Amino acid sequence: MARDPGRVLIFDTTLRDGEQSPGASLNLEEKLAIAQQLARLGVDIIEAGFPFASPGDFKAVHRIAEVVGREQGPVICGLARAARGDIKACADAIAPAAHRRIHTFIATSDIHLEHKLRRSRSEVLEIIGEMVAYACSLVDDVEFSPEDAGRSDPEFLYPAIEAAISAGATTINIPDTVGYTTPAEFGALIDGINRHVPNIDRAVISVHGHNDLGLAVANFLEAVKMGARQLECTINGIGERAGNAALEELVMAMHVRRSYFNPFLGRDAASSEPLTNVVTEEIAKTSRLVSNLTGMAVQPNKAIVGANAFAHESGIHQDGVLKNRLTYEIVDARTIGLADNRLSLGKLSGRSAFRARLEELGYSLERQDLDEAFARFKDLADRKREISDRDLEAIVSEQVQQPEAHYTLTHVQVSCGTTLLPTATVTLRTRDGADLSEASMGTGPVDAVCQALNRLARVPNDLVEFSIKSVTEGIDAMGEVTIRLRHRNQLYSGHAADTDIVVAAAQAFVNALNRLMSGSERAPLHPQKAALASGDPLPVGERPAL
Ligand code: KIV
Ligand code: ZN
């Protein structure tokens, strides 16, 4: 049996694999806000990014290592292809963290060897030994992934894993890169590794999987039964294509069905010791933060964090739940922190009360951000009688989108109605302080606003998604708008909340435009596809400047 940490470690890759979702790219402030929340959630390891991708990615991992990688905090991990340049950049980026890990990978399936790497099995074995040893010369904690393990020939996979452990890797991660395996097959793969890799007792077995067939969570739970003790997952299951295994589903499955899983960890079935270190009460809040900042809406029927997951619509169910909630509920909404939405502040609350409540909610803003967020709060308090924690979260999550702003929205005005042609006037302030105004007509007020903004920004884009939902209940609730724009085949999202939904739409559009303009400036490297695109199987590059 592989090295056993005595519980299941949660390795969160929202900021790396999750950020690889189309349109989910995040700026430094947003990544930091998510990393801080992941630490409060109690994950064991945060994969903070792929530092070699771009100077921006390097800086984000470095900043997370500085701020979140405290002595009592999680391990801060960076991804690196099995190439010196990647590994060195990764070691430099995670250097400030008290606990740091390099996660290096290379593909082991024949299909990847032949078409992507154009390397033989023996060449790949040699690279694994050399690159894992190199990573171990820079940090104590090294994880190795044989990419596409789910489709790799065990005859080659076993020696590849053995070579990585011999070179010093202490975590072996088994990725089902294309989400191809079924639970029984994935369980058997882990079992086979446990039985056939001679030095496997020197490493923790981890699993990583994509949801192309909707099986990622089921596969992981089977892997736990076979000895996997680290799960790589993302909040809301975001990630490449159909996404990664969802953290909240894995954690809650093991929480609700603890007595089923306990014996697989050598515990008494009745043991009440948690199987993971996750603070389940932080799940709903983390889900909202990730959804707001990535612009990736959570489907209403999504397990655990979907809007309908705790809604008992049908009369029969409501009746049953009122008599005894166990009739139709297996999870109490409070367990994931859902019922917790205090009415916290009002019109007369001052700056220190505002800051104190934000800190209680886990947000500590820098001085200027705090001033701006407080001004937004005061403005909201003039229009809305009571401000709840959800409203504060909406204000803060919008605030962290602003720092890289090319444009700031300073004015928006629309006229519309049954007999009017919808018309909008907008003003944007540029980085150097110039005010630019435009007016436009449209099919409706939002269309008119977007057309006016497009005339100012002059970057071609298509609006591919527009969604609106209310932050809380009540007629004076804020509306949250999420917008996704397509530019040169890339998606960019923007999110904003306001009691006036046209203002929220204008702000969300500006946030998406800002992200588009920063994104098209930096164009980061994709860790798994870059080698294929460049035709260079193992590019070695310079470390990006800090
Ligand atoms: O899906 C995958 O194989 C990955 C690896 C880099 C672990 O994300
Ligand atoms: Zn992946």
Side-chain angles (χ1 to χ4, degrees):
M1 166 64 92
R3 221 171 53 154
D4 192 350
R7 64 183 158 89
V8 178
L9 303 174
I10 297 295
F11 175 115
D12 182 279
T13 182
T14 305
L15 294 173
R16 199 278 296 171
D17 220 334
E19 210 220 0
Q20 287 174 210
S21 318
S25 64
L26 298 160
N27 69 33
L28 192 147
E29 301 288 323
E30 292 166 333
K31 288 183 185 173
L32 192 57
I34 291 177
Q36 283 170 319
Q37 179 55 29
L38 290 172
R40 283 189 287 273
L41 180 66
V43 306
D44 299 282
I45 303 112
I46 295 178
E47 188 165 51
F50 171 43
F52 190 77
S54 72
D57 289 76
F58 181 92
K59 266 189 211 155
V61 176
H62 193 266
R63 186 89 184 109
I64 290 169
E66 270 174 350
V67 178
V68 187
R70 294 174 303 262
E71 191 53 46
Q72 304 306 322
V75 174
I76 306 298
C77 173
L79 183 71
R81 293 169 300 179
R84 272 178 196 275
D86 278 44
I87 293 172
K88 179 70 172 79
C90 185
D92 291 346
I94 59 176
H99 311 284
R100 45 191 179 272
R101 175 182 296 185
I102 294 176
H103 174 193
T104 188
F105 74 99
I106 189 165
T108 48
S109 65
D110 289 336
I111 192 164
H112 276 234
L113 260 61
E114 188 182 334
H115 300 287
K116 172 169 130 171
L117 299 175
R118 295 190 203 102
R119 300 270 177 160
S120 67
R121 287 184 175 189
S122 59
E123 281 175 312
V124 168
L125 264 191
E126 199 177 314
I127 291 166
I128 293 172
E130 262 179 43
M131 290 304 126
V132 170
Y134 178 54
C136 291
S137 72
L138 303 173
V139 294
D140 295 335
D141 181 352
V142 171
E143 170 171 331
F144 171 73
S145 289
E147 190 191 7
D148 205 17
R151 291 188 301 171
S152 298
D153 175 0
E155 292 297 309
F156 179 54
L157 183 63
Y158 299 155
I161 295 172
E162 189 184 349
I165 298 173
S166 298
T170 45
T171 301
I172 292 296
N173 179 46
I174 304 302
D176 181 15
T177 303
V178 290
Y180 179 72
T181 59
T182 65
E185 285 170 343
F186 201 58
L189 178 63
I190 303 304
D191 188 38
I193 290 168
N194 256 324
R195 285 189 292 110
H196 298 288
V197 176
N199 52 2
I200 195 68
D201 58 331
R202 284 162 39 195
V204 172
I205 297 187
S206 166
V207 287
H208 177 110
H210 288 264
N211 214 19
D212 299 67
L213 297 175
L215 296 172
V217 168
N219 285 350
F220 279 28
L221 295 176
E222 207 53 35
V224 168
K225 289 162 62 180
M226 296 298 173
R229 291 293 175 267
Q230 176 181 288
L231 307 182
E232 300 203 354
C233 44
T234 60
I235 302 296
N236 301 335
I238 65 169
E240 288 274 358
R241 306 180 309 279
N244 287 59
L247 179 147
E248 61 280 2
E249 294 177 21
L250 290 163
V251 167
M252 290 312 291
M254 287 185 285
H255 179 83
V256 173
R257 303 300 311 278
R258 191 162 45 213
S259 56
Y260 174 76
F261 286 101
N262 272 338
F264 295 103
L265 277 89
R267 302 176 181 184
D268 195 87
S271 165
S272 59
E273 200 188 331
L275 285 159
T276 72
N277 257 5
V278 167
V279 181
T280 60
E281 289 75 11
E282 292 288 325
I283 286 179
K285 183 175 153 199
T286 316
S287 162
R288 288 194 296 271
L289 182 69
V290 169
S291 171
N292 288 347
L293 296 184
T294 57
M296 310 253 327
V298 175
Q299 77 199 55
N301 58 329
K302 161 90 178 57
I304 311 297
V305 291
N308 293 353
F310 293 92
H312 295 280
E313 301 281 2
S314 91
I316 297 174
H317 285 214
Q318 280 177 4
D319 181 53
V321 169
L322 286 178
K323 285 179 182 138
N324 182 339
R325 63 167 201 89
L326 294 178
T327 49
Y328 285 99
E329 241 181 49
I330 58 162
V331 183
D332 182 337
R334 282 170 301 191
T335 317
I336 61 156
L338 204 57
D340 194 18
N341 183 27
R342 269 179 37 192
L343 288 175
S344 43
L345 302 171
K347 202 176 160 77
L348 300 176
S349 307
R351 198 173 180 283
S352 43
F354 175 72
R355 190 181 51 199
R357 186 64 196 138
L358 283 187
E359 274 170 10
E360 274 167 32
L361 287 171
Y363 299 105
S364 52
L365 298 187
E366 306 275 325
R367 195 190 161 79
Q368 199 194 333
D369 283 345
L370 185 70
D371 290 346
E372 284 168 21
F374 184 62
R376 292 205 58 215
F377 157 72
K378 278 295 187 190
D379 182 44
L380 180 64
D382 279 338
R383 290 178 281 152
K384 193 170 184 291
R385 216 159 33 90
E386 285 163 326
I387 311 283
S388 71
D389 289 346
R390 296 280 165 79
D391 295 317
L392 294 184
E393 275 175 31
I395 290 175
V396 176
S397 71
E398 199 180 320
Q399 195 60 44
V400 292
Q401 287 180 66
Q402 312 294 335
E404 290 178 5
H406 287 250
Y407 293 120
T408 312
L409 180 74
T410 57
H411 175 80
V412 53
Q413 187 185 334
V414 291
S415 57
C416 59
T418 44
T419 54
L420 289 174
L421 256 179
T423 310
T425 311
V426 296
T427 305
L428 291 180
R429 184 159 297 156
T430 63
R431 272 176 176 168
D432 38 25
D435 281 337
L436 311 171
S437 296
E438 257 298 354
S440 179
M441 287 185 292
T443 53
V446 171
D447 182 44
V449 164
C450 296
Q451 293 210 37
L453 290 169
N454 270 334
R455 282 188 184 178
L456 288 176
R458 293 195 204 157
V459 221
N461 66 73
D462 295 316
L463 180 88
V464 292
E465 193 182 312
F466 178 94
S467 72
I468 180 157
K469 68 178 195 304
S470 81
V471 174
T472 53
E473 281 133 33
I475 193 72
D476 61 351
M478 286 207 279
E480 272 183 313
V481 174
T482 301
I483 276 176
R484 278 148 94 77
L485 301 179
R486 186 172 22 229
H487 170 74
R488 295 195 186 133
N489 258 341
Q490 292 286 333
L491 291 177
Y492 300 91
S493 66
H495 175 267
D498 199 283
T499 50
D500 182 324
I501 55 169
V502 177
V503 175
Q507 186 62 62
F509 198 87
V510 172
N511 290 344
L513 279 176
N514 280 329
R515 211 180 283 232
L516 185 163
M517 295 171 86
S518 313
S520 47
E521 276 166 12
R522 64 188 164 103
L525 208 65
H526 187 294
Q528 291 161 272
K529 295 178 190 152
L532 190 62
S534 69
D536 175 0
L538 294 167
V540 176
E542 294 301 310
R543 179 175 74 76
L546 242 184

